[in-house]
Amino acid sequence: MRFSAEDESFRADVRRFIRENLPDDVRAKVLAGMEISKDDYMRWHRILHRKGWVAPNWPEAWGGPAWTVVQRYIFDDEAGLAGAPRLSPFGIGMIGPVLMAFGSEAQKEHHLPKILSGEEVWCQGYSEPGSGSDLASLKTRADRQDGHYVINGSKLWTSLAHHADWIFCLVRTSMEEKRQDGISFLIFPITLPGIEIRPVITMNGLRHVNEVFFTDVKVPLDALVGEEGKGWTIAKYLLQHERFSGGAVGELKTALQRVKEIAGRETSGGSPLMADTDFRRKVASTEIELEAVELTTMRALAAHTADQEVGAVSSLIKVRRTEVQQMISELGVEAAGYYALPHNIGALKNGWNEEPVGSEEFNALVPSYLFLRAASIYSGSNEIQRNIITKAELGL
């Protein structure tokens, strides 16, 4: 579980590159917990692409940096510590690996270079009203008609669909006795006629997710990835990549440090809040939980590098990491106290007539707290992850 000298040298190179190339205004937004625009993360995407570092999980043959899994972890950790924005995961982290594993040669040749460069921005069409973690119950249909698939239905919680050019989508192509056998995986432009994107303003007052409606949307048959009716296999493959990604805790350490700095300046009963025994106990408890997540991830990395079975550890890390994220966001709101609520910038944008008060360092603490209520739901709810763990590890 110790990094090699080579890995530590790699960490130093990564740290130096990020320090010298990450735009200051983007770094400031991330460290303050503010909303990151499409332009912000695309600027960082292009910088990483020029360096050859934009796709840490891609093989060298398709433009990846040929990093080990440990180096990918180190890069993610250092990016989080430095305040670099997370790139949209749907292209690089999800559909890219899926196309490499299941796509046709034509699909790979057409899409992978554009995903790498940022020319194509993607979103994910999985969840539906009534079909979230239980994806097998999805109802959006794709029927073969006149040499096309004709899609009707809707998707919900479609993150960043309003920024996307393409969508990868789970659809029902047949009604089988076993529900999973009737699902297929399609890719197509999200700008096609018959597609409507409606915003869902979440309780932090911002637009991150959307509803997407499909009304007689015609897509060519070559939009199919893999075999018809085998979309469930592809979906599971993709979710394994999604849930194990982001295991590094650099950004969580940075967020917790920010809370501690605020608590060191804010007073409670005439003394800094960090001197309050109860608050210090909460911070210490959260720090211990954060270290446990980091060590669990390190154990998984050690097992992976030794070609050992990792098991359901990706589900375990997902559960605890998101819970620790929520703990940190709760501490942030507590540290800001009565200054926190008027600093809900998203609500202010959407008509709240309460002007912000207090220091700008409180900006986005409440929006972050509110948005992260969803962290234990997205990417497969933590309840579902616990079911996976009990089945895989306990045999229940």
Side-chain angles (χ1 to χ4, degrees), residues 286-318:
T286 302
E287 210 152 20
I288 290 168
E289 294 290 347
L290 177 55
E291 186 169 350
V293 172
E294 183 174 32
L295 291 175
T296 302
T297 306
M298 295 286 287
R299 285 166 50 204
L301 287 174
H304 188 281
T305 55
D307 293 325
Q308 297 174 1
E309 180 62 40
V310 175
V313 72
S314 61
S315 292
L316 177 63
I317 292 170
K318 193 274 176 182

Side-chain angles (χ1 to χ4, degrees), residues 8 42 63 87 117 139 157 161 239 245 294-295 306 372 382:
E8 291 294 356
M42 289 308 300
L87 301 182
S117 68
K139 295 179 175 60
W157 315 123
L239 287 171
S245 65
E294 183 174 32
L295 291 175
L372 286 173
N382 284 6

Side-chain angles (χ1 to χ4, degrees), residues 62-113:
W62 286 108
W67 288 344
T68 66
V69 67
V70 173
Q71 289 173 320
R72 297 202 302 264
Y73 174 88
I74 290 172
F75 175 80
D76 191 40
D77 197 43
E78 285 298 320
L81 289 168
R86 281 195 174 274
L87 301 182
S88 175
F90 304 110
I92 295 294
M94 298 184 191
I95 189 61
V98 161
L99 291 178
M100 292 176 207
F102 300 96
S104 67
E105 289 305 312
Q107 288 170 337
K108 295 176 190 177
E109 294 289 344
H110 178 82
H111 292 292
L112 292 178

